[in-house]
Amino acid sequence: MHTTVALAAVLTTVAAVTFASGPASAAAPYKGANTAVVQDDFNGDGYRDLAVGAPGAANGAVEEAGAVVVLYGSASSVSPARRTVITQASWGVPGAPEASDGFGAAVASADIDRDGYADLLVGAPHEGVDGKDARGSVTVVWGGPSGLKGGASINPVARFGHNQTYCGFGMGLATGDMNGDGAPEVTVASRCEGSSYTGPFSRDGQAASQYREWRIGARGVVMGDVNGDGRAERFWLPGPTDGDYRGPVLLDRGPVDPSDPTKDAPVKLPHADGHTGRIGDVNGDGYGDLITGIAEDGTVDGERGAHKGGEIQVFHGSAHGITTDQQPRIFHQDTAGIPGAAEIADRFGQSLSTGDINADGYDDVLVGVPGEAIGSRAYAGGAVVLYGSATGLTTNKSTTYSQDTPGIPGDAETDDGFGTAVHLADLNKDGKAETVVGTPTENTDGCAWIARGTRTGPATSGSAAICGKDTGLTLRGPHGLFGAALPSVQVTF
């Protein structure tokens, strides 16, 4: 439960769950925590860390209060032995755990106070605030030489969700440096409208400036540099609308001018669609490319929605950015070269991530397909890797993975949801991104599959599954949902 008055002053007395075998302290901050290499480095040791949301985890007897497990990176990647568990009962974290808060439904990171250590951002879109159900909240937990400790609330901007209900503030999070000053901006998505915060942030959670993007709905958001000027662009993803079930994609042009709301209004990209989005350089030309996903779930017919089963779209960046006349390249499970076949409710594109798995200089794309049936096991789930190249994303050597793939721990089972969340990140600093796939409804706790990157793709041999029970999460109710959220994008309901 959050109360918006004087939240920064609220400090709980319950200690964060940090283990003695956790990360070694760094002698000094690892500078550059907002660069792609160490964006998620919470303790400054030079290795990226992995935040895994478990929004269904209990806190004591409180069901579905939620938690985030941070696995610290090292030369041997991540393991449950080096972890911190963050909840709303952790020392210095504002609020208190309540049933169905869903703390950890969205996670992201950036060095928002510009002290050299990445900070953790956590969304709890189901949290009640000031007596309003599912108003939602966002919490920042501060990075430092001993890892994550203490936090503050990032409160909604003035008049957020005015006369609206069930906004779900924090259902989507994105960060990026939009003005080139080295302090990242933070964008918060919701069912109501977007909220924009300009860094740097003070330790009470206050941004240098902020504004409410009330002119559009904003269930999703993606940020990244698509024109090579060193500054991030922002794309709003309102999700399905009455006139566009595929979901419009809108390019941000700046804050609202109270004297003229039409001035600098976001520009719709007429040929772009998507419910999720991610930016990565899939053709190696130095410009970020926009990849969007439309996860067809069986509720919208193919004429109004995506290709059967879902699709992703690719728009290439350039010195002019992404222009309104661009036509996308479209990929789905009926595209020649992609394994499998498109089926209703596969949810291909529900989650997306970009990163260089094979160290060839091109970003690859990992696509979650959590509704994929494996044999007769409905919604067992899968994930597909599409590789980047000099000509862009290609189906050459594309591979699909499931819990029936040799070398992947466990077995594909009905309703596991493998691929609900996905993430690509170099966790062991060998120049190749690890593949991380969340399976939040595996058993009662949920799991995440982690495979190191190699020249030929994710290494299934020797790969590992880390589950909620391995991290000491408290489990009550139907599912702990460990693996439901990773720092890359996914649809949050």
Side-chain angles (χ1 to χ4, degrees):
M1 176 68 177
H2 270 238
T3 304
T4 56
V5 179
L7 273 179
V10 178
L11 297 177
T12 62
T13 58
V14 180
V17 183
T18 306
F19 292 79
S21 55
S25 298
Y30 189 90
K31 298 301 181 184
N34 292 320
T35 68
V37 178
V38 288
Q39 179 178 336
D40 308 320
D41 184 9
F42 300 119
N43 64 335
D45 64 356
Y47 292 95
R48 294 184 72 164
D49 307 314
L50 177 64
V52 183
N59 193 286
V62 182
E63 293 187 7
E64 299 181 26
V68 178
V69 178
V70 174
L71 305 169
Y72 289 99
S74 70
S76 56
S77 191
V78 296
S79 81
R82 304 177 70 252
R83 71 188 187 267
T84 296
V85 179
I86 304 293
T87 74
Q88 287 182 294
S90 298
W91 182 90
V93 175
E98 289 190 322
S100 302
D101 275 354
F103 183 84
V107 292
S109 76
D111 179 14
I112 68 171
D113 61 350
R114 212 162 43 174
D115 67 349
Y117 300 97
D119 307 306
L120 174 67
L121 298 165
V122 183
H126 303 297
E127 182 157 25
V129 178
D130 289 347
K132 297 178 181 179
D133 291 340
R135 177 75 165 180
S137 69
V138 173
T139 300
V140 55
V141 186
W142 304 112
S146 58
L148 293 158
K149 187 177 297 183
S153 291
I154 297 178
N155 291 321
V157 299
R159 293 182 63 80
F160 168 80
H162 182 62
N163 291 329
Q164 300 180 75
T165 58
Y166 304 104
C167 284
F169 181 76
M171 68 187 302
L173 300 166
T175 63
D177 183 4
M178 298 181 69
N179 57 14
D181 67 351
E185 278 62 63
V186 172
T187 307
V188 181
S190 76
R191 296 184 190 90
C192 294
E193 55 209 2
S195 298
S196 173
Y197 303 84
T198 299
F201 285 70
S202 61
R203 281 295 179 113
D204 62 0
Q206 296 300 308
S209 65
Q210 59 189 40
Y211 73 90
R212 178 174 64 107
E213 182 48 88
W214 53 265
R215 294 170 292 192
I216 57 172
R219 285 186 58 186
V221 63
V222 57
M223 298 172 71
D225 183 8
V226 297
N227 62 7
D229 66 353
R231 301 181 182 188
E233 282 70 52
R234 175 166 49 204
F235 298 85
W236 300 104
L237 306 173
T241 66
D242 290 340
D244 189 349
Y245 289 92
R246 296 166 63 86
V249 178
L250 304 168
L251 174 61
D252 183 276
R253 292 199 303 165
V256 179
D257 184 341
S259 65
D260 182 4
T262 65
K263 183 179 180 181
D264 293 333
V267 174
K268 181 178 181 179
L269 301 181
H271 306 296
D273 310 282
H275 305 159
T276 57
R278 191 72 175 174
I279 291 173
D281 186 3
V282 298
N283 61 359
D285 65 355
Y287 301 102
D289 307 309
L290 174 65
I291 298 97
T292 63
I294 314 168
E296 186 276 321
D297 62 1
T299 62
V300 178
D301 62 70
E303 292 183 2
R304 296 185 298 169
H307 184 88
K308 181 171 65 175
E311 67 183 58
I312 66 169
Q313 301 184 354
V314 181
F315 296 84
H316 292 294
S318 69
H320 302 289
I322 294 172
T323 59
T324 56
D325 61 348
Q326 281 194 57
Q327 297 282 345
R329 294 188 65 197
I330 297 175
F331 298 84
H332 44 69
Q333 286 186 292
D334 282 338
T335 300
I338 295 181
E343 298 169 308
I344 292 174
D346 276 348
R347 296 182 182 247
F348 182 91
Q350 175 171 319
S351 54
L352 291 172
S353 189
T354 58
D356 190 356
I357 298 170
N358 54 7
D360 63 355
Y362 305 104
D363 275 345
D364 311 308
V365 177
L366 179 61
V367 184
V369 197
E372 180 89 346
I374 306 299
S376 62
R377 293 153 291 178
Y379 303 104
V384 175
V385 172
L386 299 173
Y387 290 98
S389 72
T391 58
L393 208 60
T394 175
T395 61
N396 184 36
K397 299 181 181 179
S398 68
T399 308
T400 187
Y401 298 89
S402 75
Q403 287 185 290
D404 273 5
T405 301
I408 295 182
D411 298 294
E413 299 171 308
T414 299
D415 294 329
D416 274 352
F418 184 89
T420 297
V422 298
H423 187 48
L424 293 174
D426 182 7
L427 303 171
N428 60 3
K429 210 162 60 171
D430 68 352
K432 297 178 284 292
E434 272 84 1
T435 295
V436 185
V437 178
T439 314
T441 46
E442 170 88 0
N443 302 323
T444 58
D445 52 348
C447 301
W449 172 59
I450 303 175
R452 62 185 177 85
T454 73
R455 295 287 181 182
T456 57
T460 56
S461 177
S463 63
I466 297 175
C467 299
K469 65 178 182 291
D470 302 322
T471 69
L473 288 179
T474 301
L475 301 172
R476 291 180 182 272
H479 291 289
L481 299 180
F482 178 82
L486 295 166
S488 299
V489 295
Q490 69 277 335
V491 174
T492 302
F493 298 98

